[in-house]
Amino acid sequence: MSLFNSYTANKPEENITEQEAWIAVLYACSITDGEASEIETELIVDSLYRKQKFEGIEFSPLFRKVLSKRTELGQNKFLDYYIPYIKEEDFEMLFCIALEIVLVDGIIHREEERIIEILINKMSLNTEKAKVIIDIFITKNKGNVSY
């Protein structure tokens, strides 16, 4: 038992929504090269705007909260913090959107490889299926302008 349990036991847990978790995962993918480009941010919003679970959702407050949490936790703990808030049935769909962001230029950089592997592991995705999806996105985005 921690010395501070009596002080923190009654504090409510943070209110994390599934939508916030989705934005966090996609944001983590967009900053693998150090910062999110404008095209990557637009791609996140455009991809999520079409999803029913984001109907009526204000993106700006969620992005602000996610950016703050990323600063607080750092990249390594960031995905561990948010992935539990995502429904398992949505893992593959979110993975595909994440790949679209990571592979927008059709090239996999070292840090992008790393985050793709982290997502595959943390979401317990089928490795063979993930490889097929990756191949499709590389082919689809080959020759795109680098951002």
Side-chain angles (χ1 to χ4, degrees):
M1 178 174 196
S2 168
L3 176 65
F4 295 99
N5 277 359
S6 61
Y7 299 106
T8 60
N10 294 326
K11 286 191 176 183
E13 288 190 30
E14 288 186 67
N15 186 21
I16 307 298
T17 65
E18 183 181 9
Q19 291 84 0
E20 180 183 337
W22 276 56
I23 289 172
V25 169
L26 298 177
Y27 176 71
C29 292
S30 72
I31 61 168
T32 55
D33 58 356
E35 66 179 339
S37 71
E38 185 177 330
I39 191 76
E40 290 167 328
T41 304
E42 288 174 7
L43 190 54
I44 291 171
V45 173
D46 288 347
S47 297
L48 299 181
Y49 183 77
R50 295 185 300 255
K51 301 295 178 199
Q52 286 179 342
K53 67 177 74 238
F54 282 87
E55 191 172 4
I57 297 293
E58 289 287 329
F59 286 89
S60 295
L62 291 177
F63 268 102
R64 281 193 296 275
K65 190 173 178 186
V66 162
L67 269 61
S68 174
K69 188 56 77 173
R70 165 60 172 65
T71 301
E72 176 188 329
L73 296 174
Q75 183 74 347
N76 292 335
K77 294 180 183 178
F78 189 65
L79 288 173
D80 287 336
Y81 180 79
Y82 277 109
I83 286 179
Y85 293 95
I86 298 166
K87 294 178 183 171
E88 188 176 336
E89 65 199 43
D90 291 337
F91 282 171
E92 284 184 6
M93 180 175 25
L94 182 57
F95 180 71
C96 287
I97 297 169
L99 279 176
E100 180 71 25
I101 291 161
V102 169
L103 299 175
V104 71
D105 60 1
I107 302 167
I108 300 179
H109 302 284
R110 175 71 55 199
E111 285 303 310
E112 292 170 333
E113 272 183 35
R114 185 174 166 271
I115 199 151
I116 290 169
E117 289 171 356
I118 289 170
L119 288 178
I120 291 168
N121 290 329
K122 297 213 179 281
M123 294 180 177
S124 301
L125 298 173
N126 176 291
T127 307
E128 290 306 312
K129 189 170 185 177
K131 285 179 186 177
V132 170
I133 295 168
I134 291 166
D135 286 342
I136 289 168
F137 275 98
I138 289 173
T139 301
K140 176 187 173 285
N141 293 334
K142 190 179 284 188
N144 283 3
V145 176
S146 186
Y147 296 99

